Amino acid sequence: MKSSPIRGALLALLLLCGGQSSAATPAAAHPEPHACHLPGVEESLRCLKLPVPLQPGQPATLSLHVTIAPALREGARPDPVFVLAGGPGEAGSDVLPLLATAFKRVRATRDIVFIDQRGTGLSGRLECKSGLDEDVQLSDDEVDAELRRCIKASKAPFAAYTTANAARDIEAVRRALGYGKINLWGGSYGTRLGQVYARAYPASVRALVLDGVAAPEQVIPAGGRDGQAALDRLFEQCANDAACRAAYPTLRADFAALVAKLDAAPLKLNLPDPRTARQVDVTMTSARLLDTVRNMLYAPADARRLPFLVHSAFAGRWQPFVARRNLAADFAPDASPATLMHLAVVCAEDVPRLSPALAAQDASPLTKELTVRMRGLCQAMNVPAVPYVAPARIEAPVLLLSGALDPVTPPHRAASAARHMAHAQQLVVANVGHGVSQLGCAPRLLRTFLDQPGKPVDGACLNEIPAPTFQLGSAGPQP
């Protein structure tokens, strides 16, 4: 759920009992899957372009991209795993490398189906094509102005890109491929989509694995308290680590001083560009500092570089921090979540619920600027609000995976979601942030749960995932 430094500010807040045989064969009107090769996977997979309507009752005018990784063994089980990516704005084709990690055990006996949600990836990606690709040189106001111009120029019917419509697309894919009951794996925002689908089509769902769980009532931009809690834990961990404490004895005070200095006035920097080594002018603001910090908290290995970066910046050596801030811009724009699709969902489903009371309750420097900017961009999007509906009970078995260090969907979010589930079990992993499924023994546990979702999963092996070491100098983390 990360992208360029500015896109990251908008997208990182962020921001699956026995099987049943296939009940139907694909209708003749549906196109057949064909062989395809996609980035991130060396082998040939199967791809499908499925026409779906933008709104229920309309003609099918949107082409939905679906990638199928067939089960590796003959006599595979009839219940596949449908993969729902995060964001909102990430595509199933963006997370195909999960085949070699999170799903390496599951795929032995089940098809894995990746859906490019409408507005993402190869399903009519909603993105800005100019200006923002070089946004590391733009001010925050210039980036927002560029986004507003992009929004105004777009002809896309933003109101059609809701989570409910994406759930209808999943059901259309299930029917087109001739599957009976399916399993769902959702990550981050994909956990919201998975829950919406399970409530809309309960007869189609066998089991769910939800990783980095968003609670039904969670408002995506309102993540200040969760992010602040993760940052406070990082400071405490450094203070409790002898080497980190010795290297950065005044870390928390140094960080507060940096934020206060940038709050008072932006800092004009002239330094070598981390990619080209050419001297460039860079403006550092408190919003950009805090956005980078929040992004880094998603992954503990990245977070444990923060003390070094803060210490270096406090001493006036900003190059390491700027290099990390610009990191996402080194990747191709199409590898980042779709900005306009993200705004279409969040502006319709989240921002209308961001009441003054909730904003005050969630107040934190980490998200203050983002909340203000998001409201302005949502005015430009001008999408109708999607009314919040009290969540119905999910009857299918659910495995909830939570990283104890997660800054955006920490364990209490999964616990809140579980209150609306009849058969839920939650595994909390001590040394993990946002995303558990591909780490340690988790791939084996996914297979164990999906084979027998009615039985408890012993997650003790997840405690063997070690905490990353802190970076104490320019050479990188400790051995």
Side-chain angles (χ1 to χ4, degrees), residues 63 97 105 123 133 148 156 237 276 286 344 356 394 401 438 464:
S63 183
R105 298 292 190 96
S123 295
D133 294 345
R148 286 192 293 270
Q237 289 169 340
T276 66
S286 60
I394 293 176
L401 302 175
Q438 55 189 318
E464 298 173 7

Side-chain angles (χ1 to χ4, degrees), residues 74-151:
E74 294 184 5
R77 294 175 182 261
D79 50 286
V81 176
F82 275 41
V83 177
L84 311 179
E90 192 174 38
S93 58
D94 293 335
V95 298
L96 286 174
L98 289 176
L99 281 172
T101 56
F103 304 123
K104 62 184 178 183
R105 298 292 190 96
V106 173
R107 191 188 172 192
T109 55
R110 287 180 170 85
D111 294 349
I112 312 295
V113 179
F114 296 83
I115 298 177
D116 282 18
Q117 185 175 341
R118 57 171 59 201
T120 75
L122 302 173
S123 295
R125 177 180 169 86
L126 298 182
E127 184 56 278
C128 298
K129 296 297 184 183
S130 64
L132 295 178
D133 294 345
E134 298 297 329
D135 61 14
V136 294
Q137 300 299 326
L138 301 180
S139 70
D140 293 346
D141 288 343
E142 288 171 333
V143 169
D144 287 356
E146 193 70 32
L147 278 169
R148 286 192 293 270
R149 283 192 289 271
C150 174
I151 292 167

Side-chain angles (χ1 to χ4, degrees), residues 21-377:
S21 61
S22 297
T25 56
H30 290 138
E32 290 291 327
H34 61 275
C36 58
H37 289 84
L38 294 172
V41 180
E42 292 183 1
E43 66 179 291
S44 175
L45 301 174
R46 306 289 292 171
C47 288
L48 174 72
K49 284 289 189 180
L50 181 67
V52 295
L54 277 168
Q55 295 282 19
Q58 294 182 355
T61 57
L62 175 67
S63 183
L64 202 69
H65 178 86
V66 183
T67 309
I68 306 105
L72 297 175
R73 295 180 186 173
E74 294 184 5
R77 294 175 182 261
D79 50 286
V81 176
F82 275 41
V83 177
L84 311 179
E90 192 174 38
S93 58
D94 293 335
V95 298
L96 286 174
L98 289 176
L99 281 172
T101 56
F103 304 123
K104 62 184 178 183
R105 298 292 190 96
V106 173
R107 191 188 172 192
T109 55
R110 287 180 170 85
D111 294 349
I112 312 295
V113 179
F114 296 83
I115 298 177
D116 282 18
Q117 185 175 341
R118 57 171 59 201
T120 75
L122 302 173
S123 295
R125 177 180 169 86
L126 298 182
E127 184 56 278
C128 298
K129 296 297 184 183
S130 64
L132 295 178
D133 294 345
E134 298 297 329
D135 61 14
V136 294
Q137 300 299 326
L138 301 180
S139 70
D140 293 346
D141 288 343
E142 288 171 333
V143 169
D144 287 356
E146 193 70 32
L147 278 169
R148 286 192 293 270
R149 283 192 289 271
C150 174
I151 292 167
K152 186 176 181 180
S154 176
K155 304 300 183 184
F158 295 131
Y161 291 83
T162 62
T163 301
N165 280 345
R168 294 186 183 95
D169 292 343
I170 296 170
E171 180 66 1
V173 172
R174 184 195 69 82
R175 292 169 63 86
L177 293 177
Y179 292 119
K181 286 195 173 187
I182 62 174
N183 306 290
L184 298 171
W185 179 94
S188 195
Y189 163 77
T191 68
R192 176 194 284 187
L193 176 54
Q195 292 172 78
V196 169
Y197 177 80
R199 292 185 170 102
Y201 303 98
S204 299
V205 179
R206 176 177 176 270
L208 301 94
V209 177
L210 304 180
D211 188 349
V213 186
E217 73 279 4
Q218 185 170 353
V219 175
I220 288 179
R225 294 179 67 184
D226 290 339
Q228 189 64 50
L231 181 59
D232 289 340
R233 277 196 301 271
L234 178 69
F235 288 152
E236 292 168 6
Q237 289 169 340
C238 181
N240 293 329
D241 180 275
C244 189
R245 183 175 64 250
Y248 316 116
T250 57
L251 175 62
R252 192 185 292 266
D254 292 351
F255 178 75
L258 272 179
V259 174
K261 180 178 180 179
L262 294 173
D263 276 341
L267 184 62
K268 303 291 186 180
L269 303 171
N270 182 268
L271 43 75
D273 185 283
R275 286 169 290 176
T276 66
R278 292 180 301 180
Q279 289 294 125
V280 293
D281 293 323
V282 175
T283 300
M284 182 58 63
T285 65
S286 60
R288 292 181 170 187
L289 173 83
L290 294 169
D291 170 53
T292 304
V293 168
R294 187 179 61 250
N295 260 295
M296 294 182 70
L297 291 171
Y298 275 59
D302 204 13
R304 298 230 166 174
R305 300 170 57 202
L306 259 175
F308 167 74
L309 298 185
V310 169
H311 176 79
S312 298
F314 182 77
R317 193 166 69 91
W318 279 93
Q319 289 91 332
F321 193 94
V322 172
R324 173 55 186 83
R325 180 179 178 272
N326 293 354
L327 179 64
D330 290 338
F331 298 97
D334 287 347
S336 61
T339 305
L340 296 185
M341 185 273 180
H342 176 91
L343 290 172
V345 173
V346 174
C347 292
E349 301 177 11
D350 294 271
V351 170
R353 293 189 287 135
L354 187 56
S355 65
L358 176 58
Q361 178 189 15
D362 189 67
S364 165
L366 285 174
T367 54
K368 178 182 177 181
E369 181 70 17
L370 172 64
T371 301
V372 173
R373 294 178 65 193
M374 187 65 77
R375 289 187 188 278
L377 292 172

Side-chain angles (χ1 to χ4, degrees), residues 16-20 71 73 75-81 105-112 183 206-209 397 399 425 442-457:
L16 289 195
C17 344
Q20 177 176 314
R73 295 180 186 173
R77 294 175 182 261
D79 50 286
V81 176
R105 298 292 190 96
V106 173
R107 191 188 172 192
T109 55
R110 287 180 170 85
D111 294 349
I112 312 295
N183 306 290
R206 176 177 176 270
L208 301 94
V209 177
L399 178 63
Q425 51 183 314
R444 173 170 59 81
L445 297 184
L446 297 191
R447 168 78 181 271
T448 298
F449 171 74
L450 290 173
D451 283 352
Q452 296 182 303
K455 291 189 175 182
V457 175

